Amino acid sequence: MVMSRITPRARLAVVALAGAVGATVSADVRADDKPYKVENGAVDKATFNGYRRYTESCLRCHGPDGSGSSYAPNLTDSLKTMTKDQFMETVINGRVNVNTASTNVMPAFGTVEDVVLYLDDIYAYLKGRSDGVIGRGRPKRIGSDD
């Protein structure tokens, strides 16, 4: 109703403004949709905890920083195409990959509390590494002096 009382030029301005605001909101939603938060190279508490849990439970097979080893895949590459649900499924239930050259077994961690209870944090850390926003090594925490 109100739109019918304004001039075509004003209507165009309102539509353009709404589009600009919508684009800004969409960009914010996409940024907030990430499972991690990074500010000036430092990560949020949950993502830092994911680094700690990864180092404790996953590093021995998947290598430092999720970069892979001679017998376990590079998770920073895997998470470029793997969904969070697929990641969770694999960690909880394990996986067996058989090909003509080898058989690789990812054990199930569904009963390992130190992994399952912090799986969102581990995913956040690895997804940040995969997206290239978290560098190699121990990340700094937001608000911490370390």
Side-chain angles (χ1 to χ4, degrees):
M1 283 182 147
V2 174
M3 288 293 272
S4 64
R5 290 190 224 150
I6 58 177
T7 66
R9 178 176 248 174
R11 187 177 303 153
L12 182 59
V14 168
V15 170
L17 179 60
V21 170
T24 302
V25 170
S26 295
D28 289 343
V29 169
R30 280 194 299 274
D32 291 341
D33 211 22
K34 301 291 183 188
Y36 51 81
K37 182 177 182 180
V38 179
E39 291 178 0
N40 300 319
V43 300
D44 63 288
K45 183 178 178 179
T47 302
F48 184 80
N49 188 51
Y51 160 78
R52 290 178 51 236
R53 301 296 174 164
Y54 172 85
T55 301
E56 176 63 31
S57 300
C58 313
L59 178 138
R60 66 183 58 95
C61 293
H62 290 282
D65 311 308
S67 57
S69 70
S70 60
Y71 56 90
N74 180 331
L75 297 176
T76 63
D77 286 343
S78 296
L79 287 179
K80 290 183 188 322
T81 57
M82 182 181 268
T83 67
K84 182 177 181 180
D85 287 343
Q86 290 169 326
F87 173 80
M88 302 284 190
E89 170 76 19
T90 302
V91 174
I92 291 169
N93 296 315
R95 178 179 6 190
V96 176
N97 288 333
V98 179
N99 61 41
T100 56
S102 65
T103 299
N104 297 320
V105 177
M106 161 81 180
F109 283 86
T111 59
V112 180
E113 288 183 8
D114 284 341
V115 173
V116 170
L117 294 177
Y118 303 100
L119 202 47
D120 285 330
D121 295 352
I122 295 169
Y123 176 79
Y125 164 69
L126 288 170
K127 187 61 176 160
R129 289 275 305 123
S130 177
D131 290 349
V133 297
I134 299 173
R136 298 193 74 170
R138 182 179 185 265
K140 293 184 179 199
R141 287 181 292 162
I142 295 172
S144 176
D145 293 332
D146 60 354

